[in-house]
Amino acid sequence: MDIVANYHPVLKAFLAGSFSGTFSTILFQPLDLVKTRLQNPSQNVFTATVNGRIQPGMINIFTNIIRQEHVIGLWRGMVPSVARCVPGVGLYFSSLHWLKVKIGKTRNQDLGAMEAVALGVVARTMSGVALIPITVIKTRYESGVYKYNSLGGALKSIYRAEGIRGLSCGLGPTLARDAPFSGLYLMFYTQTKQAVPKEWMQSPSAASVIHFSCGIIAGIAASLATNPADVLKTKMQLYPDKFPNAFSAALYVHQNYGIKGYFKGAVPRMLRRTLMAAMAWTVFEEITRSIGLK
């Protein structure tokens, strides 16, 4: 920690963010896998049929994955998940720190509600654009539709078959999901934290619980608001020929599933995003305090 303390503040934020993202990504990968399978019900999952429509259940998908792929199958897509989330979280936190400095905020100054939304959106957009090829591979790995042998092999295969467009498909819905999520999350998180009496934050153990609790509240609200964009992103990245744009994907979902279709996978996504973000922010807050970033 003494060596890290001498690094540039932006690099400190990147390292702290990457470190916090590693734990949360590995721990909650099964929920992301189940969410992707729920949004792609044509795959081999145990389902119930209601009014002639396939209705996969979260527990059924968990059971089916364990039965067909064993427990290790719940961590399918771990390599692209880590390749995306770890530097992605690092880029997000370092961009956030850099943007906060640029608007003249000191380490201990709180962000206003609209400032938090704006900074969260811009920081997530920057990291989202940089890592969209890994996002595409991660979605395909988890879906069970594509069989790639490695991350490098997947990159080459997609580029050969679909070009740059294939490596960036679903960018619009991805940003429409991630940028508002981060903006809303940061707003809810900072506003909830500011509502807590300052003296409660003096104890390190109490501060961790408060950070995590604020993260849970912020995650639930932001996840529900952005789930429709996540459904469209999954459709576009799995079937780019069938869904060349967000409108065609939205039309398909609405015609086949109605409004409820936009909330497929909402439960595992909400659990994962909420717990992952809460853990990432809690660890980030603790690390930045130890290395003198705040």
Side-chain angles (χ1 to χ4, degrees):
M1 287 296 183
D2 291 336
I3 297 174
V4 176
N6 297 320
Y7 290 172
H8 190 280
V10 173
L11 180 56
K12 286 182 187 178
F14 178 82
L15 292 173
S18 297
F19 190 71
S20 67
T22 302
F23 291 104
S24 51
T25 299
I26 294 171
L27 188 59
F28 301 120
Q29 172 63 17
L31 288 170
D32 197 44
L33 177 70
V34 171
K35 181 269 299 182
T36 301
R37 299 282 176 96
L38 271 171
Q39 293 175 354
N40 185 43
S42 60
Q43 291 310 294
N44 298 320
V45 296
F46 290 128
T47 62
T49 302
V50 179
N51 296 328
R53 292 178 179 173
I54 295 175
Q55 303 289 332
M58 184 172 145
I59 303 302
N60 287 336
I61 291 178
F62 260 117
T63 305
N64 190 45
I65 291 171
I66 293 172
R67 186 171 298 177
Q68 292 188 355
E69 306 172 45
H70 307 295
V71 174
I72 194 66
L74 292 170
W75 276 266
R76 181 182 177 86
M78 174 54 66
V79 173
S81 280
V82 170
R84 172 184 177 268
C85 293
V86 173
V89 175
L91 282 171
Y92 171 71
F93 278 118
S94 57
S95 299
L96 200 57
H97 178 82
W98 179 77
L99 289 166
K100 190 175 177 181
V101 171
K102 287 296 178 184
I103 64 170
K105 293 287 183 179
T106 61
R107 290 177 180 179
N108 297 314
Q109 274 187 300
D110 293 323
L111 292 170
M114 290 302 102
E115 287 176 330
V117 171
L119 263 63
V121 166
V122 174
R124 181 60 68 189
T125 299
M126 291 166 70
S127 61
V129 170
L131 294 166
I132 186 63
I134 308 300
T135 304
V136 174
I137 294 170
K138 172 182 168 294
T139 302
R140 294 188 179 187
Y141 252 108
E142 293 171 352
S143 70
V145 176
Y146 297 83
K147 305 296 181 185
Y148 298 125
N149 294 321
S150 66
L151 186 61
L155 280 169
K156 292 176 184 176
S157 176
I158 295 171
Y159 182 73
R160 279 198 300 264
E162 304 168 46
I164 294 296
R165 183 178 178 181
L167 289 171
S168 60
C169 62
L171 176 60
T174 297
L175 294 181
R177 174 199 68 173
D178 289 350
F181 175 89
S182 294
L184 290 170
Y185 184 94
L186 187 58
M187 180 189 72
F188 289 129
Y189 179 77
T190 54
Q191 295 303 300
T192 306
K193 197 169 71 167
Q194 286 170 31
V196 176
K198 296 292 183 183
E199 56 270 20
W200 292 12
M201 304 293 287
Q202 300 306 312
S203 166
S205 57
S208 295
V209 173
I210 291 167
H211 289 146
F212 194 79
S213 301
C214 292
I216 293 289
I217 294 169
I220 291 172
S223 292
L224 287 174
T226 56
N227 202 77
D230 186 60
V231 172
L232 302 186
K233 178 221 61 139
T234 299
K235 294 293 183 190
M236 290 180 68
Q237 290 179 346
L238 293 182
Y239 309 106
D241 294 332
K242 186 176 180 180
F243 305 114
N245 53 59
F247 179 76
S248 61
L251 194 62
Y252 174 86
V253 171
H254 186 73
Q255 288 177 343
N256 286 272
Y257 306 106
I259 295 298
K260 290 193 295 186
Y262 294 109
F263 293 92
K264 277 184 174 290
V267 173
R269 177 174 181 264
M270 186 169 60
L271 285 171
R272 176 184 176 270
R273 288 302 296 264
T274 298
L275 293 172
M276 186 172 172
M279 177 177 284
W281 270 97
T282 302
V283 174
F284 178 78
E285 297 266 19
E286 293 304 313
I287 293 175
T288 52
R289 185 178 291 105
S290 348
I291 61 178
L293 194 56
K294 52 175 6 186

